[in-house]
Amino acid sequence: MDRYLDQWARINRWHRKVNTFYEGERSVLEDNERLDMVRTFFIECFHLKDWIKADFPNLSVATERIFDRVEGEECFKICADLANASKHVDLNKAVRKDKETKIGTQGITIMVDPIKWDSDPKDYLPPVCKYRWDIIASRKKFDVKELADECIESWKKFMRKNGLSIEIVARLSIPIDGTSFDAKAS
């Protein structure tokens, strides 16, 4: 069974979105929408463990161990606390790192194109915005992008160590004739 690969692909799409926020984008999204997408990355990342356990029950113990409050990797502990905090009003069970873990400060750099006074206002492009966020856990700050990158690399390491594929296959549907095919994602 490779259902976990669908979740892995989803996580990588969210990861690319987080990277886009850091690199800069022209967008009319509200700040809260970006923050929701950042939070969604960590929620989806945390839940990959459930998909792996469902496909490979023999990996249940190993999968739980990487999120363990003592043995687990720091990035996964923070990931777990963020995911659980988004679901529960009070995070008092299964705290991995810090029950006060949260996405804290946000930074933004706005770059505006030069305006030509004789231009039509419809020709103006939204500014390019670069975002960054800090996660606060155990009174320490962690950069969202760095933590997201670390989660991706840690999952890759775990999957390779346990003989799981990390290759993402895009499932493309062609509605014209109803056929579909698999294509390797770039």
Side-chain angles (χ1 to χ4, degrees):
M1 294 260 205
D2 292 341
R3 297 175 300 176
Y4 78 95
L5 285 173
D6 290 333
Q7 182 70 2
W8 176 237
R10 204 169 9 260
I11 291 165
N12 279 274
R13 288 191 300 272
W14 286 114
H15 184 247
R16 280 194 303 275
K17 196 64 171 165
V18 169
N19 285 333
T20 299
F21 298 153
Y22 271 70
E23 293 162 4
E25 64 170 352
R26 289 187 193 275
S27 176
V28 293
L29 289 175
E30 292 183 19
D31 288 351
N32 286 338
E33 291 176 279
R34 286 181 185 84
L35 186 57
D36 288 344
M37 291 179 192
V38 167
R39 187 173 283 114
T40 299
F41 166 80
F42 289 104
I43 293 167
E44 296 290 348
C45 187
F46 173 64
H47 288 295
L48 177 58
K49 71 181 182 69
D50 299 325
W51 291 75
I52 290 173
K53 289 189 315 189
D55 284 352
F56 306 98
N58 60 314
L59 292 178
S60 287
V61 172
T63 306
E64 285 301 325
R65 189 174 298 131
I66 63 173
F67 285 93
D68 185 78
R69 71 179 348 156
V70 176
E71 296 179 41
E73 296 190 39
E74 186 170 56
C75 66
F76 286 146
K77 291 183 216 180
I78 295 169
C79 180
D81 287 346
L82 283 171
N84 285 324
S86 72
K87 183 176 166 184
H88 303 286
V89 174
D90 292 316
L91 188 59
N92 48 24
K93 294 181 185 175
V95 175
R96 270 51 170 228
K97 178 91 175 149
D98 177 11
K99 73 177 187 171
E100 302 296 323
T101 297
K102 64 183 176 187
I103 298 176
T105 56
Q106 171 182 296
I108 180 172
T109 302
I110 301 173
M111 296 167 287
V112 180
D113 292 330
I115 298 173
K116 296 178 184 173
W117 293 107
D118 59 345
S119 301
D120 187 334
K122 293 182 290 195
D123 295 335
Y124 297 148
L125 296 171
V128 173
C129 299
K130 293 183 178 183
Y131 289 83
R132 67 171 310 283
W133 294 268
D134 288 322
I135 293 174
I136 313 298
S138 298
R139 297 186 185 147
K140 289 173 57 180
K141 285 186 179 183
F142 300 86
D143 179 75
V144 161
K145 182 184 179 317
E146 290 173 9
L147 192 66
D149 291 348
E150 191 177 338
C151 285
I152 291 290
E153 290 307 312
S154 292
W155 269 124
K156 285 179 181 178
K157 180 180 164 187
F158 173 85
M159 289 188 283
R160 284 184 187 118
K161 178 181 176 183
N162 289 285
L164 303 180
S165 174
I166 61 167
E167 185 176 348
I168 297 171
V169 176
R171 287 168 176 62
L172 304 174
S173 295
I174 314 269
I176 296 171
D177 64 2
T179 61
S180 67
F181 61 94
D182 289 343
K184 289 183 182 177
S186 57

